[in-house]
Amino acid sequence: MSEISLADVEDAAALLSGVTTRTPVERSGALSGLAGTPVLLKCENLQRTGSFKLRGAYVRLSRLTAEERARGVVAASAGNHAQGVALAARELGISAVVYMPRGAALPKLAATRGYGAEVRQEGADITGALAAAQREAAATGRVFIPPFDHRDVVLGQATIGLEVLDQVPDVRTILVPTGGGGLLAGIVAAVHARGADVRVVGVQAAEAAAFPASLVAGRPVPLERMSTIADGIAVPLPSELTLGIVRRHLADVRTVSEESISRALLLLSERAKLVVEPSGAVGVAALLDGPTGLEGPVVVVLSGGNVDTLVLHRILRHGLVAAGRYLQMEVRVPDQPGSLAGLLGVLAATGSNVVSIRHDRTAADLGVAEVRIGVEVETKGTAHCHEVVTALQEAGYGVLVRSAE
């Protein structure tokens, strides 16, 4: 592949003029305080279709020949690329079929259909959907639009890099959510083309991180399994194209845990007032894990905001537990009148709020005169969790903490 030049990226930006939004960059006081350096958020979650994917999809589709447009296009995606292709196809008057996994989020399915694409669900994950889309292309002649493995797609994503450099001229580090690597490759290529002295760091979910091993091997190395809440970046291997660009420009890649992603979503919701999907929040998760080696100002790309409300509820709840805001425990009390009232009195004195209670009198490990009470309380954080447990223990209760950080 030829080197991506500044003119190449500027041409892509010109194609996107009037189609995509120049998304805002917002300073985060909370993250700046945690990192000890200015932290700004590039809000691609506020892009049309709710993610950056429209950029690459539109550039690719706009460069199809008249004959290719007449044949139509086909794509596969967990949701964001699907929406990008669907809207780009509608804007350009091209027929589009999109394959999505059977477990794809309902809002992403509805939005993709709303943009005019025919949606077909096939496969347990993105691998199965991709295989179905490629079969469709071979059988019908539709042009397959890959989510990251095409130069035009990379160029579309590269326009974000130019925007960041214009919006934050003194930026020193850019954190980029990374799956197949199209966004990471585009941004690092744009930074290099502009000649900016900026470190670009890709961030992957630890349970779906194909880049680290691939970078070491110098070739795409597939993952045997993936398991992450960040479905938008759950890609089993990068492409030769994206891996080559990332290696050539020496971009780093870090990984983050599911706990850190949950905490990042919680922080973005509470402090930044932004709805972000798990894959879009991994850059913030990397900061929460520790900003060591990340010179500021730091720009974190929030790559998307398309998340099912029910999924968001579960993840935020998990984030509350990880942040010590929920305490789940089991307490043994005598099976006699007043025992529950006594337990609740101790909890009330600590200032914690009881969310749920469960009684168990039949477990084999309980004594004849014992009751096990499962209790979940809201707390004010990790230190308060310890205060609650200590108060119960000092009152003579046996406490088993089930979930707290």
Side-chain angles (χ1 to χ4, degrees):
M1 187 197 105
S2 61
E3 185 71 23
I4 289 176
S5 69
L6 182 58
D8 293 330
V9 186
E10 290 174 340
D11 286 346
L15 282 173
L16 294 174
S17 179
V19 176
T20 57
T21 300
R22 185 182 177 92
T23 52
V25 171
E26 301 289 344
R27 188 180 188 278
S28 170
L31 284 170
S32 298
L34 288 171
T37 191
V39 176
L40 302 100
L41 306 173
K42 175 63 171 170
C43 299
E44 282 294 294
N45 59 310
L46 303 180
Q47 183 58 261
R48 292 183 72 190
T49 74
S51 90
F52 72 99
K53 287 288 192 176
L54 176 60
R55 297 174 184 261
Y58 189 88
V59 171
R60 176 69 187 112
L61 267 66
S62 69
R63 290 176 171 171
L64 295 177
T65 66
E67 186 272 335
E68 289 172 326
R69 294 188 186 201
R71 286 166 23 212
V73 299
V74 61
S77 166
N80 288 340
H81 179 58
Q83 292 175 72
V85 169
L87 181 55
R90 189 184 76 183
E91 296 279 303
L92 294 165
I94 301 172
S95 166
V97 172
V98 176
Y99 284 85
M100 302 176 74
R102 287 189 292 272
L106 292 178
K108 295 181 179 182
L109 288 166
T112 304
R113 291 189 176 106
Y115 291 132
E118 178 185 345
V119 175
R120 302 173 187 173
Q121 290 185 262
E122 190 163 335
D125 54 26
I126 188 59
T127 302
L130 279 168
Q134 289 165 339
R135 289 194 299 270
E136 173 77 11
T140 66
R142 286 181 178 271
V143 180
F144 176 67
I145 308 298
F148 54 86
D149 190 22
H150 194 282
R151 192 171 191 272
D152 287 338
V153 174
V154 171
L155 285 171
Q157 323 310 22
T159 60
I160 298 174
L162 293 190
E163 289 181 16
V164 169
L165 294 176
D166 290 340
Q167 292 169 305
V168 190
D170 59 344
V171 61
R172 300 292 296 156
T173 304
I174 303 175
L175 293 174
V176 184
T178 302
L183 181 58
L184 176 61
I187 289 178
V188 74
V191 166
H192 177 80
R194 181 69 74 82
D197 183 17
V198 176
R199 182 183 179 199
V200 180
V201 180
V203 184
Q204 294 201 288
E207 298 302 316
F211 258 93
S214 298
L215 287 169
V216 170
R219 58 178 175 79
V221 176
L223 294 174
E224 294 183 359
R225 59 178 297 275
M226 298 182 295
S227 178
T228 178
I229 57 176
D231 64 326
I233 55 173
V235 179
L237 79 167
S239 68
E240 294 280 0
L241 171 67
T242 57
L243 181 64
I245 294 172
V246 170
R247 291 187 71 221
R248 182 159 57 253
H249 299 310
L250 303 177
D252 297 327
V253 175
R254 295 188 175 190
T255 62
V256 293
S257 68
E258 302 296 286
E259 296 287 328
S260 295
I261 298 171
S262 297
R263 289 170 53 221
L265 285 173
L266 179 63
L267 183 146
L268 287 165
S269 175
E270 288 191 330
R271 304 300 299 275
K273 315 306 179 190
L274 291 169
V275 175
V276 181
E277 62 190 274
S279 58
V282 293
V284 172
L287 279 178
L288 295 180
D289 281 350
T292 304
L294 302 177
E295 184 181 353
V298 177
V299 172
V300 184
V301 178
L302 305 180
S303 57
N306 295 314
V307 58
D308 183 284
T309 306
L310 294 175
V311 173
L312 180 62
H313 172 73
R314 291 198 298 268
I315 294 171
L316 289 177
R317 186 177 178 83
H318 187 77
L320 287 167
V321 173
R325 302 269 293 280
Y326 272 93
L327 178 61
Q328 299 167 342
M329 54 192 170
E330 293 180 352
V331 184
R332 293 191 181 208
V333 302
D335 189 7
Q336 60 188 38
S339 291
L340 178 57
L343 172 63
L344 293 177
V346 175
L347 291 174
T350 67
S352 56
N353 181 46
V354 176
V355 176
S356 65
I357 289 179
R358 184 187 70 257
H359 287 74
D360 183 1
R361 288 186 171 88
T362 60
D365 61 333
L366 288 174
V368 174
E370 279 188 319
V371 175
R372 181 161 53 216
I373 297 178
V375 59
E376 181 179 35
V377 298
E378 293 176 340
T379 71
K380 300 178 180 69
T382 303
H384 192 204
C385 286
H386 292 308
E387 291 175 16
V388 172
V389 172
T390 299
L392 289 171
Q393 291 171 336
E394 290 178 347
Y397 294 101
V399 181
L400 175 62
V401 175
R402 285 299 186 190
S403 183
E405 291 293 327

